[in-house]
Amino acid sequence: MKQAQTHGTPMKYGMAIDLDKCTGCGACMVACMAENNIPFKEDESDKRVSITWMRIFKLTNGKSFPDSDICYLPRPCQHCEGHEGHSPCVSVCPATATDYSRETGIVSQIVTRCFGCRYCMGACPYHARYFNWWDPVWPDGMEKYLSPDVSPRMRGVVEKCSFCFHRYQLAKNKAYLDGERRVPEAAYQTACTQACPAGAIVFGDLNNPEHQVHQIVKPDSNNGNRSRNPKAFRLLERTGTNTKVYYLSSREWVRRAGDNYLAHEKTGQLAKLHH
Amino acid sequence: MKVDRRSFLSFVIGGAAGTALSPLPWKLMDDSSIWSQMWPWTPVPPDGEVVYEDSTCTLCPGGCGISVRKVDSRAVKIEGQSGHPVNDGSICILGLSGLQMLYGPTRIKSPMKRIGERGEGKWQKISWDEAFAILTEKLTDIRDKGEAHTVAALAGSDSGTVPALIQRFMAAYGSPNFMRSPSYRDVDELTVKALFGADGRTGFDVENADYVLSFGSGFVDGWGSPVRMFKAASLWKEKDIPVVQVEPRLSNSAAKATRWIPINPGTEADLALGIAAVMVANGIADTGDVSGLSGWENDLLANYEPQKVAQTTGIDAAVIVEVAKGFARADRPLALCGRGKAQTAVSLRETAAVYILNALTGNINQEGGMWAIPEADYIQWPDVATDNLASAGLDQPRLDGAGTGKYTDARYLTNRLADSVNGGGPYPLQVLLVAGANPCHYLPDTQHVKAAFARIPFIVSFSSFQDETAAMADLLMPDHVYLERYEDVPVGAGLVQQMIGLSKPVVSPQFNTRHLGEVLIMTAKAMGGSIADAFPWDDYETCLEETLAEKWDTLMETGVWVRADTDPVAGSIQLAGLDAPAVQAEGDVNSFPLLLVPYDSIQLTSGYMGEAPFMIKAVSDTVIQGTDGFIEINPLTASGVGLGEGDRATLTTPRGEALVRVHLFEGIQPGVLAMVRGLGHTAYDGYLAGKGVNVNELIGPVEDPSTGFDAAWGIRAKLDKA
Amino acid sequence: MDSALIPKGVKRCPMWQFLLGLGIVGAVLAWGVYAMLLCWFKGLNQTNMNDYYGFALWIWADLAVIALGGGAFFSGLLKYIIGKDELKNIINYAVLIGFICYSSALLILAIDIGQPLRGWFIFWHANVHSMLTEVAFCLSAYFAVLTIEYIPLILENRQLDKVPFFHNLSHNMHETMAVFAATGAFLSFFHQGSLGGVAGVLFGRPFAFREGLLIWPWTFFLFTWSAAAYGPSFTLLITWITEKVARKKLVKDNVVELLAKISGWMIFTYTIAKICDTTRWANITAPGLGQNLADFYTGNAFYGYWILFAEIILGGVVPAIILISAPLRKNPTWRVTAFFLGVMGVSLNRWVMVLQVMAVPIMPFDTWALYYPSWQEVATTILPVAYGIILIMISYRYLPIFPQEAELNPIEEETAMAVEAHTESTPDLKPANA
Amino acid sequence: MSTLDEKAKAGMEDHAAHGSDAKESGAGGFIILFFIIGFAASMVLGWVIFPKLLYSQKQQPLNFNHALHVEEVGEGCEGCHYFREDGSFSGIPKLAQCTECHEEPMGDTEDEATFVEQYVAKEREVPWLSYSRQPDCVFFSHSAHVIGAKMDCVVCHGHIGESEVSRPYEYNRITGYSRDIWGKDIAGLKKNSWDRMKMDDCAQCHKEAGMIHTSSVQTDRDACFVCHK
């Protein structure tokens, strides 16, 4: 007999990132690297072979001095739900190494299952997936700080942001001990959320009205989970990736930069969602 | 019978069939894939019991509380300490990288003495006993010759027990030459003294201000206590507080401000005074706290009326008036001073102008305003009983000339050290002790500084890392890093209250290093006599505990001691310093048509600490690519020189030249070039060394005649296609 | 000296020439193998691929050779199912070329994956939703079929054929070949299609994404179709090259023209379909996602509208017309030009569907990603070509690939006798020398 | 091909015809025989020799008597293997835990002596070899199974609690897996639930317990991010 693992409604973990607050300082990137045993090389300046589960993009408004403006956009894995969990990467992985969990809404990546075909990387429009082109090597002595909660990856596999799922696992351990069925909001926060000095990142269960992220985003399940918050937008919403990372900005040009629009279309306009 | 080929063939076929029906091929296939899943050369972090230990971060002056996650005896992650008055759970990129410094390969792992040429990097490991012997012998010889004053010490800061012990050691030994790394603190202290007539520092109540006017202060680029400022900036967003950022470049702070006002570099003081003039002229200034205004009012109105200021600053007069009114009419307006991270001094004129601007709002020592408060004064040690040799030495003038002649008000003029060593000083320097400082990387005109260091007969470095200065040393006596030691951390950094944090040993020392405090006490004891008497403590921990007295328990419990109800040093200010001349950029306009200004990034320490690999990894590819460093330039200026995105160019200033690549940026004023501070290391390892250009090598100190501090804010430059 | 192995009634170049040829191509092969070993032991950091270019030259090579190898299944389909019997005179070669293409594809895949030791996960832990899974299964299955189709050819070697067992085996296999041909056609339909699906299902990438029929995007059908259309052209192009190298006619014109004509009509219909697809995509699909052609073909140093023209007009319309029109088709120069253009066209199509897909920025603030392969990638891509040439050399020398060769190139009696005598007088020969 | 060679060789003999004829007729029986020999040999190699080569053994640093400890300490397994406050499982005790009782030698066994001299006195952790260590990519939650599902230790660990001597630690030479995890029986047959602890065994047990979840979109089983990290 099959049963849904969830007790009551399933969870759908997601993020709201306030770009008005984000300063592009990079604390989230490094918090992520430190939390998830992310390796580093002597030269990391070629960003196309530099593993950063959380990456900060710099957006410019294209105007010239002194009307120019910039905005930073932190990009973790967007944990696309796509259509019923068939996110771009999950549906293409030939070996079931990446999967979508109906229980948490998290897109998993199991590196020991992955054999490195990199199809998922081609499928991901956010470049949130990274390949281990090299063996991970820590300078002598530095492997001491590696965390046992996240397994270091070997050469030749794809890795990506897991929404610090190991923290959920640990919180769940505690929950069992305390006889709780659900993991409390505060007990499961990602490393980037916790570190962000500007408090720009809010993480939690988008399905749970008590969670702050739900209150900010107010997802509209009848409308492809789009946000009811006028300041909010999602990256490439029109492709139907149906992401769980929402961005907030009071600046129209920033919101427009979040998706592709034809000249005449107005920001936020949405053609029919695919799938 | 003879085994013919057919029989052999069938034997092989039989073998194949048998093999296929045995586990051999299948298990091998499975196991080889499992082997690839756990390659022996991919590390497996050992599991264990998880504990969190709180401490205080000392990687920058910010004084954040940290909470270190440990698995058994290993520290695996540094997180912000929730509930801490400074950072409440958050943490910055540098603080997060701490473990890479603790466990990093650039640690100095034991005491060493130089065996090769200076700077050659040939060292010999020695025991601590030998190290002590070498040091004490050296110091004793010099002292016995009556030349105690020719020994100097350079520390990162002068607050807290460890620097105090260094100062005490110098006093007992008999040298007036204690110095600290130059920073905005120098001019801040001096200005507070000049305006308030008392010793103290400024504090800024950013959380409660309702209008913020920042003169180039990088409130999200590392100014003040960085994490506190990040939080404040978000608070301002939430409360819709107007934040005006005045600087020539669209910095991250400018981007976070509600309004960015580009200004001609180096004319901030004029704008401040212009705004003051508008306020006075319109009678919206609150002159209650300001004495001496009447004598100055006419000059102010005459010299700084909006049109004139518009001329110098390049800001539209209407804008000046608008800002002045907005600022003056706010309930709790606050003006910030100190460029970027405020790691360098600015001119007395600029500092005074901004502080007076604060005063003219009547918001001094008020909620949301600027405060002038005394340093926490908790180090109460009996005066040193100096012997004759010491007294003689102490009577000598300082090498840097601070406190005498035209520099009476300055306490330290570290920026003049290089000159005096290179022949400008009253007497030759024989020994230099360096602790928590890396002058050979961040002092302006670094080449000049290195040349000076090359001439110092004997240099002792207490650095924990193989930094540029340690590379120039003769004797290395490595200190623990902050995660391995006890230390009191008095926090200034623009806080409006007195605060002391406590660093605790989170892990046992990883290498054969010694606590600097310990080393000083032991050296003193080894030298005996009055010097030993000045250090009555058995060890540093006792010293610390006795010094902190009743605060000790609080610190051990909560990790931080705060005194909120600190009395300001004075309630009102006396106008001063405004007649001081402006500090100009070095170099003449004709041969150097452009202006080079350094900028600060929170992603680079640009201080004593070298950047950890994680930080460099986070740096954008428009700042470093491979080993190439970039300068930011306005597309107009670039096309003028015939340069496109990523092109290589030679950047020349009166002080030096460097090969750079250009990044076109619309957020920078035409004619101005910006280069990030903190890169271009020559020491450390391949993760840091050789990346980018050290901007300090291109910019020389420009002395502010009214203080003696280096107040250079940029330098003239030219750019040629390479 | 190896004349005992050489098919009856045909002439082959002297051994030294043959060995010299083998040596030269072998050197290239060795270079490729060296690069392959580098990739296996040092990892894919040996390539210029990056996180923007997870798929690059290799995947293009895979798609291209499989498309070009399509000649095998399609000629097989024509001969055994549809009953175009003339094609028996070229089917052998079609099969051989197919065999080479598919074995190459599998080899390249084995180099391309980051964890070759776990390659079998694609079968063991298969994800049925993935186009790649479909590719892997059908590809391997069809490769097996090709092997089976190739074996009887080997058995027809003059010496092997003397063995009654082998003789009968190959005979019986010929009998059942129709079954395999049918299977091959069926499998090919799916893996060729899935390869098209690989790009078409990427709904996060408006440049690649296509609507479709049921679970299959239009590219699925376009790929199958194009493989069937261009595959024969490739077979004929290689045949032509072989004839030039061998300096003799190997296949009669009527056979060539028949296949060329079929190929022509296929290309014609395919091109029409491709144009429809492109039009719909450019006017409905992409704009629906907020993008238009300018986003895909401007703003970078390499990918311009020219590539559309080169693929569809030069590589589609032109060869189609040449091969359809009898006079042009009968003119060898025009014909070969058409083959060449066709091969270029389909290769370009595969290139676009792999590399340009990766190059186009999707997030408005992202940038174009251009890439050039490292020498290791180039070498490993040339490797299969060298291997193919070697296999063709050997097969051509010792197997009766071209049934019409003897008839087209009659040898004078005494030479033939001499060959015979020679054969008998040197029975001590071991194929190892071959 | 070999057939061909043989013919070629035959050619070299004077009366080729005879030679070959002889072979055609006589060799049949041998062929079967050789097939059987080859078959048998490889079966022996695969089923008997290979497993021996595949595994190696290590002895525990010192002999540990579980039975005795269970008796002395009481509280069953929890006496030494307990849950920490954060819900994680302590696993093999650290030295400090043993020292609570073993400050001085208890009893006069040789192992006890070595333990106290070599480890307690020198404050060295005992390098125990864990029979049940899962590979690093696995996250196994004891609390989910022991507290949540109320499972008995024996289900996975067998009757180690009753053992009086530490059996040798067997591991796979290629993978480094402990044989307890990898599987006792080369044919993959399980007599007891604890004979093997690979992923399929977890799945099997979950199935039997009626705990098949549908959280995975790909497999309609448990999502990967439950037991993997």
Side-chain angles (χ1 to χ4, degrees), chain D residues 50-67:
Chain D
F50 170 63
K52 298 232 180 309
L53 295 174
L54 189 58
Y55 293 101
S56 176
Q57 285 194 349
K58 283 186 195 159
Q59 292 301 330
Q60 294 284 7
L62 50 95
N63 202 14
F64 184 85
N65 185 334
H66 265 96

Side-chain angles (χ1 to χ4, degrees), chain A residues 19-23 35 39-40 42 45 47 51 65 68 72 112 135 144-146 167 194 198, chain B residues 37 41 43 69 74 76-77 79 91 100 230 234 237-238 252 256 510 603 617 619 626 666 691:
Chain A
L19 301 184
D20 291 339
K21 288 182 180 175
C22 173
T23 65
E35 178 75 21
F40 50 89
E42 281 203 354
S45 62
K47 301 306 178 189
I51 300 176
F65 182 89
S68 45
Y72 291 97
T112 45
D135 278 306
K144 275 193 191 161
Y145 71 64
L146 293 180
R167 290 187 168 206
Q194 178 192 33
Chain B
Q37 293 170 341
W41 58 88
R69 189 200 310 159
R74 302 183 299 125
V76 299
K77 173 105 186 286
E79 289 165 1
I91 185 165
Q100 292 196 317
F230 278 94
S234 291
K237 285 278 176 202
E238 284 163 13
N252 290 354
K256 282 301 124 193
Q510 298 295 306
Q603 297 179 332
K617 183 168 181 171
V619 171
E666 284 290 359
K691 292 180 193 279

Side-chain angles (χ1 to χ4, degrees), chain C residues 68-69 97 101 230-239 263 339 343:
Chain C
L68 299 170
I97 293 169
C101 289
Y230 291 98
S233 283
F234 182 68
T235 312
L236 292 169
L237 183 66
I238 298 299
T239 312
S263 181
F339 296 157
V343 169

